Amino acid sequence: MAKIAKAKEESKAKIKPKVEDWAEDLNEQQRLFVLYYCTDEFCFLNGTKTYRKAYPKCRSDEAAATAASKLLRIAKVKKSIRMLLKLTRETEDELAAYKILHTYETLAFYNPADIITDTGALLKPLSELGPLAVCVEQIQTFYTKDGFPCTVVKLANRHKALAVLMKYLSLVKPEINMEAMMPVAMITDKTAIADWQTETKTS
């Protein structure tokens, strides 16, 4: 009996499970769908386009969108997508995460004086602003009654970017008390605002 048990153990050791293949549990069409969904430049993460390419008999975007939605809810399809994205996008995603974080830092800490003049016009053409160009949310030109052009430059909301960075820091460095670092007074009543302004002037 001991020899039989030992033989079984040796047999199991020889047949080690292979690294799980992302397409292992899918049929041919599903494999195509996941492959296009994760790697095709035209279809990337677009269910409708992916479905129409993987299932060429589908002739309408509406039908493709419905079918893709159902397909993306299947557990084995979702699992395969996660696996293939990890295999093909891990390095790219790390770089993208760094770029996103860096962009939020730029949006949170930019100085408007480096972008616009006192009158609200751009200091230099948008193409010459470099990394600060991302802080320009909108440029709108309209004409006055006299026919003179007037350009309004809208800059990004720094408070939103700061809120995202604070959330990020609270996740990666929970020992830092972000609320203590940046106290915020929530004032919702006009009378309270007037009282706060009076106290500020007298203090």
Side-chain angles (χ1 to χ4, degrees):
M1 293 295 291
K3 289 183 179 180
I4 294 175
K6 185 178 180 180
K8 286 183 177 180
E9 289 298 324
E10 289 178 351
S11 177
K12 288 180 180 179
K14 290 178 182 178
I15 309 175
K16 292 182 179 180
K18 298 179 181 178
V19 176
E20 194 172 14
D21 182 7
W22 65 267
E24 185 177 28
D25 299 325
L26 307 181
N27 61 39
E28 185 177 350
Q29 293 298 108
Q30 290 172 336
R31 290 178 185 180
L32 280 176
F33 179 88
V34 173
L35 184 64
Y36 291 144
Y37 190 77
C38 297
T39 64
D40 187 272
E41 184 176 354
F42 176 73
C43 300
F44 187 65
L45 300 185
N46 185 307
T48 302
K49 291 180 179 180
T50 300
Y51 193 88
R52 294 203 63 175
K53 188 168 183 177
Y55 297 81
K57 291 184 179 180
C58 182
R59 297 300 180 184
S60 74
D61 285 347
E62 291 77 10
T66 301
S69 179
K70 292 179 180 178
L71 198 56
L72 289 169
R73 289 198 294 269
I74 298 175
K76 62 181 180 180
V77 172
K78 291 193 292 185
K79 177 183 176 182
S80 296
I81 288 172
R82 287 195 300 269
M83 292 176 65
L84 187 54
L85 284 176
K86 186 173 182 180
L87 286 170
T88 59
R89 295 285 310 175
E90 190 166 12
T91 301
E92 290 83 355
D93 287 347
E94 288 179 2
L95 181 60
Y98 170 78
K99 288 181 178 179
I100 290 171
L101 183 60
H102 182 68
T103 298
Y104 271 111
E105 288 176 341
T106 302
L107 291 170
F109 302 119
Y110 74 86
N111 184 349
D114 294 332
I115 304 174
I116 57 176
T117 65
D118 292 341
T119 59
L122 285 174
L123 281 174
K124 57 183 72 174
L126 196 61
S127 58
E128 297 178 14
L129 281 175
L132 288 175
V134 72
C135 301
V136 179
E137 194 169 288
Q138 185 181 37
I139 300 177
Q140 186 177 11
T141 301
F142 59 92
Y143 292 87
T144 64
K145 292 180 180 180
D146 299 327
F148 294 104
C150 181
T151 300
V152 176
V153 178
K154 182 181 179 182
L155 299 180
N157 188 323
R158 288 179 294 178
H159 298 292
K160 288 183 179 179
L162 277 170
V164 172
L165 285 180
M166 287 173 64
K167 184 176 182 180
Y168 166 77
L169 289 174
S170 68
L171 290 173
V172 298
K173 295 188 177 182
E175 69 277 5
I176 298 178
N177 189 340
M178 299 305 297
E179 292 183 1
M181 291 176 62
M182 297 187 66
V184 178
M186 298 298 291
I187 302 175
T188 57
D189 183 76
K190 292 182 179 179
T191 305
I193 294 175
D195 293 341
W196 174 79
Q197 289 174 334
T198 303
E199 290 176 6
T200 304
K201 290 178 182 179
T202 55
S203 59

